[in-house]
Amino acid sequence: MTIRTRNRFIKVLFIFSTVLFFLTQAILIFSLINHSLNFDYFNQYIKQAFILIRYNPYCVLISLFFLNFYVSCVSYILYRSFENTPAAEAIYVCLYLIACLANCSRVFIVLFNIAGTFSQFLMACGNIILFSKILYPVALLFIAMMPVIEQKQDSDRNVFLLLILCIFFAEIIPLNTVHTMPNFGIDYGYSSLLNIVCLISIVSGIVIMFIKNKKRLQNQKTTIGYSLTAIGITFNFNTINLLQLIIGIIFLSLGSYFFFYELHKQYLWND
């Protein structure tokens, strides 16, 4: 993939994520004005507990808006920082951002009050959410493995294969639309297996990043940033209370800053 093509793709990602952010904000405001926003379905998950760990649907909603805002900010930073840099990681960062943006579709389940229904829209949201949960750990793993695993001309093929495989598994894994989870996601089959694969991918990515930086005598701040980002995005995807919301926002913000800032410095040094 050429730098020009990659930059155009990042621009499209920034524009789409920004439009989606303001669109969902408008729908939220409209729902509040018309008193159509309700969490009746999710009240079943509210239990007596300390405020930090008590289920709060508003925390889930805030995490989703933050995630959408995060994609817009990072895509803009990615374009500005690597506009003229042939960073092999950038294209896989785009895949990671696509996964984050796809996960934001959870917000439509509560905004349109379709939880627990059998609508085609709910099915579509469920497939998109599942696609994002499969894609994001794989994208993070490839970010850590680049540019060791391939030549730059192979990136187009690998990106295409990753997307096709993630879409394929998101389609064949069964959804249970009767059960909408506390994080506004749809229940799905093989969840334990997918969680194990996700954990292995993230841990492997951290180890690979550490070894790669150590061999190249580079600063391990990218490893710290990568680790915080991976932990933060996992918390964000699964936020159901105030504590998880705070951890997700702090880890994701600090991790992304450290990772992209240090990665940009490394490429400037190599150039």
Side-chain angles (χ1 to χ4, degrees), residues 20-265:
L20 182 64
F21 177 76
F22 286 109
L23 176 63
T24 52
Q25 290 287 327
I27 296 174
L28 175 63
I29 294 172
F30 181 81
S31 300
L32 291 173
I33 293 174
N34 289 273
H35 305 287
S36 58
L37 179 69
N38 68 79
F39 299 104
D40 292 344
Y41 179 90
F42 302 98
N43 289 337
Q44 61 181 303
Y45 299 115
I46 299 177
K47 307 294 182 183
Q48 289 296 326
F50 183 59
I51 186 171
L52 286 177
I53 59 174
R54 183 189 309 157
Y55 175 70
N56 189 334
Y58 287 100
C59 290
V60 185
L61 194 61
I62 293 171
S63 72
L64 287 169
F65 284 121
F66 171 78
L67 185 59
N68 196 163
F69 179 73
Y70 168 80
V71 174
S72 296
C73 290
V74 173
S75 57
Y76 177 78
I77 294 171
L78 187 66
Y79 176 78
R80 296 289 295 176
S81 300
F82 298 96
E83 180 180 2
N84 300 311
T85 306
E89 291 90 345
I91 186 61
Y92 292 104
V93 173
C94 290
L95 286 184
Y96 159 72
L97 293 178
I98 289 173
C100 293
L101 193 61
N103 196 262
C104 292
S105 59
R106 286 184 287 142
V107 75
F108 292 112
I109 294 176
V110 68
L111 289 181
F112 292 106
N113 196 25
I114 58 174
T117 66
F118 297 93
S119 66
Q120 290 298 317
F121 186 36
L122 182 65
M123 287 287 293
C125 288
N127 286 326
I128 294 172
I129 295 166
L130 184 54
F131 164 78
S132 71
K133 293 180 72 70
I134 297 172
L135 179 60
Y136 94 90
V138 178
L140 285 173
L141 178 60
F142 271 74
I143 291 171
M145 295 172 70
M146 285 298 295
V148 176
I149 59 169
E150 61 181 25
Q151 299 297 320
K152 291 182 176 63
Q153 59 266 26
D154 295 332
S155 61
D156 292 0
R157 180 194 61 193
N158 289 345
V159 166
F160 177 77
L161 288 176
L162 280 177
L163 287 173
I164 293 299
L165 285 174
C166 290
I167 292 172
F168 172 75
F169 283 113
E171 286 291 333
I172 66 171
I173 293 176
L175 297 174
N176 181 13
T177 56
V178 175
H179 181 214
T180 302
M181 296 185 291
N183 66 343
F184 303 163
I186 307 300
D187 195 14
Y188 55 89
Y190 309 107
S191 57
S192 298
L193 178 60
L194 288 180
N195 289 334
I196 292 173
V197 172
C198 177
L199 179 62
I200 292 174
S201 298
I202 291 175
V203 172
S204 299
I206 294 172
V207 173
I208 291 170
M209 183 72 70
F210 175 82
I211 295 174
K212 184 174 67 174
N213 286 336
K214 187 175 182 179
K215 285 184 177 179
R216 296 180 177 182
L217 302 178
Q218 292 176 334
N219 200 313
Q220 291 292 350
K221 287 183 180 179
T222 52
T223 307
I224 297 173
Y226 178 90
S227 303
L228 290 176
T229 300
I231 296 171
I233 195 62
T234 302
F235 266 96
N236 192 281
F237 274 32
N238 298 282
T239 290
I240 60 172
N241 56 50
L242 183 59
L243 180 62
Q244 292 176 337
L245 175 65
I246 295 172
I247 293 175
I249 290 177
I250 293 176
F251 276 40
L252 194 54
S253 301
L254 291 178
S256 298
Y257 171 78
F258 278 118
F259 179 71
F260 290 112
Y261 179 72
E262 291 299 324
L263 184 64
H264 181 57
K265 283 173 57 178

